[in-house]
Amino acid sequence: MIRYERFTKRFENVTAVDSLSLDIGRGEIVALLGPNGSGKTTTLKAAAGLLAPTEGSVTINDRLASDPAARRAISYLPQRVSFPDSLTGREVVEFYRRLRGVGSARTEEVLRFASLNGASKRSVGTYSGGMTQRLGLAVAALSQSDVLLLDEPTAALDPDGLCAFYGLAVQIRNERRTVVFTSHHLGDVERLADRFGILVGGKLVALMTAADLAERLGRRAVMEIVTDRETLRVEAPPERRMSILEEIRRTGVEIRSVTTEEVRLESLYRELVS
């Protein structure tokens, strides 16, 4: 579906992305994480055909990302979305619907999905930041493209917008389409992503599946065991927890309480980017 082969992008003497190789399949939701300036936006723009590689290649369905046929297969939502203030939300959606050659029924569908029905007749200039971002998601969802490329889609979203985004992502996965999104909100990644990659300084430093993540975090979990003699804190991966408790009981100690502290993605992320 999407293939980066030794993709490198330089801007004069700055290397934004350095020799990235990554395959993203049909029906996957893939999240790209990393600090500011790590190359996430450059990576998305290359797949959208908006930036030419300095070295290597980026392909969509085996076509170069710059090929018009490849670009028709994607929808791209930039990090900072804006629309003419004088147009209404409905007029914005209608403009892009006609541009993409989509049936008229999609206008109502995407306005409803983005929870903009009641605001669709208002000018965009009256919209809050969250409403404008929801309008951007509605436009991105219009064409039901094979691939959605979303740059920080949840950055300015209100609760209604978050619900709409989560629903859109799950719907696309169920339809065997593909989502690649960037985010600083690690909760989005844990909730949605089948795989996630971490970029640091333009390099892919980690690539994990949801199962890999669960296993790695589970192995870092800590049990706090309060006995009649002392309080113990021990590393306790899921498969060892019962045996740890049995070993303590065999010493004749009374266990009074047990709590487990699960490690979150945030701590692993900080470790990988440091």
Side-chain angles (χ1 to χ4, degrees):
M1 178 63 70
I2 306 174
R3 171 168 289 179
Y4 295 87
E5 289 192 276
R6 298 181 300 280
F7 166 63
T8 298
K9 182 62 182 179
R10 298 189 189 92
F11 298 95
E12 297 182 352
N13 63 341
V14 175
T15 301
V17 181
D18 188 2
S19 195
L20 171 66
S21 292
L22 176 63
D23 284 330
I24 299 171
R26 181 176 295 277
E28 275 197 290
I29 299 178
V30 175
L32 297 178
L33 304 173
N36 291 334
S38 61
K40 303 185 299 297
T41 294
T42 300
T43 298
L44 279 194
K45 284 185 173 180
L50 300 175
L51 290 175
T54 305
E55 297 172 11
S57 64
V58 184
T59 57
I60 309 288
N61 293 331
D62 298 322
R63 295 177 182 269
L64 289 176
S66 57
D67 186 306
R71 296 181 72 171
R72 282 193 291 272
I74 66 102
S75 285
Y76 170 65
L77 179 68
Q79 185 174 355
R80 295 179 180 86
V81 63
S82 63
F83 303 103
D85 286 348
S86 60
L87 295 182
T88 66
R90 180 179 297 277
E91 287 170 339
V92 168
V93 172
E94 275 290 291
F95 171 79
Y96 284 100
R97 179 189 68 76
R98 291 177 177 145
L99 194 66
R100 296 299 297 258
V102 178
S104 58
R106 282 295 288 165
T107 295
E108 293 301 330
E109 290 172 7
V110 299
L111 286 172
R112 191 181 312 114
F113 131 77
S115 301
L116 287 171
N117 309 65
S120 63
K121 295 180 180 179
R122 286 169 43 192
S123 65
V124 173
T126 68
Y127 280 16
S128 66
M131 292 173 69
T132 301
Q133 191 75 356
R134 276 191 270 152
L135 181 58
L137 281 173
V139 170
L142 262 173
S143 64
Q144 297 179 294
S145 304
D146 289 342
V147 177
L148 261 73
L149 305 171
L150 309 173
D151 197 357
E152 297 282 354
T154 63
L157 287 181
D158 51 20
D160 284 341
L162 284 173
C163 289
F165 171 66
Y166 294 149
L168 173 65
V170 171
Q171 176 188 336
I172 288 171
R173 177 199 281 139
N174 292 341
E175 293 172 353
R176 299 287 297 159
R177 296 188 284 143
T178 300
V179 179
V180 184
F181 73 96
T182 68
S183 183
H184 286 291
H185 297 285
L186 302 185
D188 297 338
V189 177
E190 289 188 277
R191 178 168 181 167
L192 292 174
D194 301 306
R195 288 193 295 160
F196 74 93
I198 296 178
L199 290 164
V200 179
K203 290 182 176 292
L204 185 66
V205 299
L207 181 64
M208 296 184 189
T209 66
D212 293 335
L213 175 64
E215 180 181 3
R216 189 158 177 176
L217 296 183
R219 293 190 175 280
R220 292 167 173 236
V222 173
M223 279 202 308
E224 183 174 277
I225 306 165
V226 179
T227 73
D228 57 350
R229 299 179 187 174
E230 60 182 334
T231 297
L232 303 172
R233 288 179 60 82
V234 294
E235 289 189 1
E239 70 276 10
R240 288 200 61 233
R241 291 173 190 172
M242 289 305 298
S243 63
I244 289 171
L245 294 176
E246 287 301 322
E247 288 174 17
I248 293 173
R249 287 193 184 99
R250 280 197 293 268
T251 67
V253 169
E254 178 188 347
I255 297 176
R256 294 181 173 173
S257 69
V258 178
T259 57
T260 303
E261 297 176 8
E262 302 289 352
V263 179
R264 307 301 299 171
L265 174 57
E266 182 177 355
S267 63
L268 177 60
Y269 171 79
R270 286 198 302 265
E271 176 185 316
L272 290 170
V273 301
S274 62

